[in-house]
Structure formats: structure tokens, C-alpha cells
Amino acid sequence: MTERPADGKANRPPDIHAVARHAGVSHQTVSRVLNESPRVRPATRERVREAMRVLGYSPNVAARTLITRRSRTLGLVVLNEELYGPASALRHVEQDSRSAGYGLRILNLPPMARSTLREAVESLRQQLVDAVIVVDPHPEDQPLLGPLPSDLPLVTVGGLRSTGVPSVSYDSGPGVSQAVNYLLSLGHRTVHHIAGPAGWAEADIRRTVWEQTLRKAGREVPPPVEGDWTARSGYAAGLALAGRDDVTAVFSANDQMALGLFHALAERGITSPEDVSVVGFDDVPDAAYYRPALTTLRQDFAELGRHTVRLALRQIESGTREGVESVTLAPPSLILRASTAPPPSN
């Protein structure tokens, strides 16, 4: 038989008075910390939070939301979550949100559900999230986001910049140019391209810079072969390219399509890099273990996560999107591996 204290409070959860006693402050100070008041010194705030952790104190989120009009939750809309880029953005945004003390409410939209993007944002808004983050919106949808009320904290990740909506965007162009020029420096007469789907901002940027780089170098611009970001589409593109005698170098718009390309080339008895050099984009975790190990462009998704959450928090604190500047990430790095070499000598 377990002995029970005379006051009968053994099973009661800790309240703000218990937190206050543990931290050596008043319960009003604990309340100010819970309500994110700026009138608390950082050292005191940290002492109160430590007391909460030690005691296992869980604030009443619903009540706090009514008082502060904040839910400590960010809403995230993701298109094409199965692809490496959006999935990596999601992972790092989630990590940085939790580090900042925010939960995350995620809506995954299928690739062909672009028309529902505005409805998804409105749905999250009705769920009282403090800010909405949209990952890789389609360019056709982005103009729909600008007219949303300016007091709705909103950030887009990837895609094109929208007027009135702070964004974190990739700077893919310099990396693509570096990759194409690297292949030309090895002695390849031109570079073929497996492109992402037309109409997607990153696919269009990579295709455009690939073409511009070849023209600037005075080289022939072969027709690109379009894929849909998947290894299956890369395999189909690889079969088309394998039937041509002039293909010695290929730039693939992502690593997954490069994987399909390798499979198609191997089926046709074409080796890489001896016969065809290949450069990808993303540096997926398995890229170093492709056969051959893939030369590719690496983007800093950790930095993307940090900037995205910072932009969201800045708007939450100011109460408006106005004056919050967009961020462009550093260009991707070219990671040299075994899939590139000088062209075969005939």
C-alpha cells in the first residue's frame, strides 16, 4: 500500500505556483514567461523554463492561445514531399521550428493538386497557426499568395519570388554553370541535359542556365530530354540518349534522374564515366554510393531551414510581412566524384 501525503496532492500536476517556487520568482513572472512578455530578463526566463522542464510542467495551450493570440505552431504546406529537395526542406524546417519552441502542422499536397494551395493556406490559418510556410510552390500559384492579408506571416521556400511574400530561394544558376563548364573543361564538346518538368521554377532555372552556359562557350545546344524528377523518367531519358553517338556528357537536373540514367546506360553496355560523364543535382545521401559515385551539386538545406524559420518568426514578432526581406541562399557546391572524366578518344 502506497502512503499518500496528508495534503492529498501526490498526483496533481505542477502548476505555475510550483514553477514559481522552484525558480525562486513570483507566479506573475512565470505567467509573463508563458505569455512571451519582453519584460523578463533572459537569465530569469531561462531559470523559469528550466523549472518547467524539471517539474514536467505543461502549460494549457488552449488558454494561452486565447490570451496571447499565439499557438506556438507553424503551418507547413509541402508539394512533392517524396522528392529529396522538398523532403529535406521539410526536415530542416521542422528541426529549426522545434528548436525555437514551435510545433509544426503539415499539409502534404499531391503534385497535381496545385489549385488547392490557396485553400491549404486558408485551412492552416483557420487552425490558428502563427505562420504559414509553403515549400516549392508552382509559379502559377504564387501570385495567389500575395493578396493574402499582410498580417498573416507567410514564407515561401524555393520557387519564384512573389511580391509581398518573404521567401527563401535557391541560387542554382552559378552551380549549374560551374557544372557545365567543368564538363567542358574535361574536353567534352557539349553537354546534354535531362531536365525537370517544364513550368517548375527550379527545373526552368536549371534548363535556362545550362543553355546559356553552352551558348556563352560557343557550343552546340542539344535538345533537352524532359523528365519528372523520378528515377523512372531518368531511365526513359537515358534510353533516348543511349541511342545517340554524340552523347559524352550529361547534366541531370536532379540525382534521382541521374540514377535512372545510369541504369539505362548500363543496359545498353555504355559505361560511366568511360563513355559518358554524368553530373547530378542535390547530393542525395546515396549519391556517393551510386555506381559510379555521382559528381553532383550540393545545396545547404540546413541553412535553408534556419532562414525559413527566422523569416517566419520575424513576421510573428512584428505582426506584418511588410519590411521583412527575402533571403537568397549561397550557390550549391560542386562535389567531384567518379562519374566524370575526359571524353573517350576515338
Side-chain angles (χ1 to χ4, degrees), residues 24 37 57 67 85 103 125 137 214 284-285 288 292 302 306:
S37 170
Y57 173 75
I67 296 171
R125 189 182 183 201
L214 287 178
V284 300
R306 284 191 289 273

Side-chain angles (χ1 to χ4, degrees), residues 140-293:
E140 292 178 4
D141 283 334
Q142 290 190 238
L144 301 175
L145 300 176
L148 288 168
S150 62
D151 63 350
L152 170 64
L154 181 64
V155 181
T156 61
V157 179
L160 302 174
R161 288 193 174 183
S162 300
T163 303
V165 180
S167 66
V168 179
S169 55
Y170 312 111
D171 189 11
S172 304
V176 173
S177 182
Q178 182 184 11
V180 173
N181 280 321
Y182 172 69
L183 289 168
L184 296 179
S185 74
L186 291 175
H188 297 277
R189 297 180 62 182
T190 191
V191 178
H192 291 254
H193 182 40
I194 301 178
W200 288 94
E202 277 302 307
D204 291 346
I205 290 170
R206 294 170 200 181
R207 185 197 312 239
T208 298
V209 174
W210 158 78
E211 180 178 344
Q212 290 175 342
T213 304
L214 287 178
R215 292 194 186 283
K216 186 175 180 180
R219 306 301 179 91
E220 175 193 356
V221 180
V225 183
E226 185 172 312
D228 62 6
W229 303 121
T230 65
R232 178 179 296 179
S233 70
Y235 172 76
L239 292 179
L241 293 171
R244 300 184 53 168
D245 296 331
D246 61 337
V247 177
T248 66
V250 179
F251 165 57
S252 174
N254 78 341
D255 291 351
Q256 288 168 291
M257 292 193 295
L259 177 61
L261 168 63
F262 282 148
H263 187 55
L265 294 177
E267 277 192 0
R268 297 300 173 89
I270 300 171
T271 59
S272 178
E274 291 80 7
D275 299 315
V276 176
S277 288
V278 179
V279 176
F281 197 112
D282 278 336
D283 194 26
V284 300
D286 293 339
Y289 303 97
Y290 285 7
R291 191 169 182 181

